[in-house]
Amino acid sequence: MTDSRKRTLALFYCRNVPGSSETDRQAIEKATKGQVRLFPLPCSGRLEPTHLLRALEEVADAAYLITCPEGACRYFEGNRRARKRVERTREIVSAIGLEPERVGIVIGSKESPRTLTQLATEIFDKICQMGPSPALRSPATEVSASDGRRNRL
């Protein structure tokens, strides 16, 4: 049986990514009918592993981070810190039995900058190939024949 549930992506991003204004964010979310949820950050270095893990637990099949180009962070080391935190989160996700590809990072490029819309589309297409996250599956319920109450399995 195939799962017809639509995929969702939690996408955290540095506000210095080209095309990352509030208007752009709203347009992306509207165009994807809410399947891509965007979370702006003043700096990608502010992201903590708990942000990514919480997104996977509550709203998304995958959680990614888009940073400004390496060496172009206005806070000097923000995107380097972010990379380490994403790598640590991938280790945690793998240890609990999920595919580590459900968490990722895209580091912007100075030579060929891409907009938030372009990057979001690429990442979303990638996660759609993965299939649904087992972490988001709703627990099955059954109705007890004797009393009509629902019991979680």
Side-chain angles (χ1 to χ4, degrees):
M1 179 169 117
T2 60
D3 180 25
S4 61
R5 186 177 62 79
K6 293 181 179 181
R7 306 299 179 262
T8 54
L9 169 65
L11 190 56
F12 299 86
Y13 64 94
C14 173
R15 288 188 177 152
N16 291 327
V17 171
S20 63
S21 71
E22 181 62 17
T23 304
D24 296 318
R25 183 193 67 77
Q26 290 173 354
I28 293 167
E29 287 183 343
K30 184 177 180 180
T32 61
K33 296 178 176 67
Q35 287 180 268
V36 176
R37 302 217 18 219
L38 295 153
F39 302 95
L41 300 166
C43 174
S44 58
R46 300 288 305 263
L47 183 82
E48 294 290 337
T50 55
H51 297 124
L52 297 166
L53 293 169
R54 192 76 175 256
L56 289 173
E57 178 185 29
E58 295 182 5
V59 299
D61 293 294
Y64 274 69
L65 171 65
I66 299 173
T67 73
C68 55
E70 187 86 29
C73 179
R74 66 181 175 181
Y75 297 107
F76 305 107
E77 293 186 2
N79 48 24
R80 289 186 192 120
R81 266 189 236 118
R83 182 194 314 238
K84 290 177 185 176
R85 291 174 181 164
V86 169
E87 288 170 4
R88 177 66 184 129
T89 307
R90 288 173 62 99
E91 291 170 5
I92 294 168
V93 166
S94 181
I96 63 172
L98 290 175
E99 305 97 319
E101 297 80 22
R102 293 200 180 274
V103 176
I105 185 169
V106 174
I107 298 171
S109 168
K110 288 181 190 178
E111 295 78 32
S112 57
R114 292 179 288 165
T115 66
L116 182 60
T117 301
Q118 291 168 322
L119 293 167
T121 301
E122 289 172 20
I123 297 166
F124 186 69
D125 290 345
K126 177 181 174 180
I127 70 122
C128 283
Q129 302 303 314
M130 273 193 255
S133 171
L136 286 179
R137 290 190 186 143
S138 301
T141 58
E142 74 174 20
V143 177
S144 171
S146 61
D147 59 12
R149 291 185 299 176
R150 291 182 179 217
N151 299 312
R152 293 202 184 267
L153 295 176

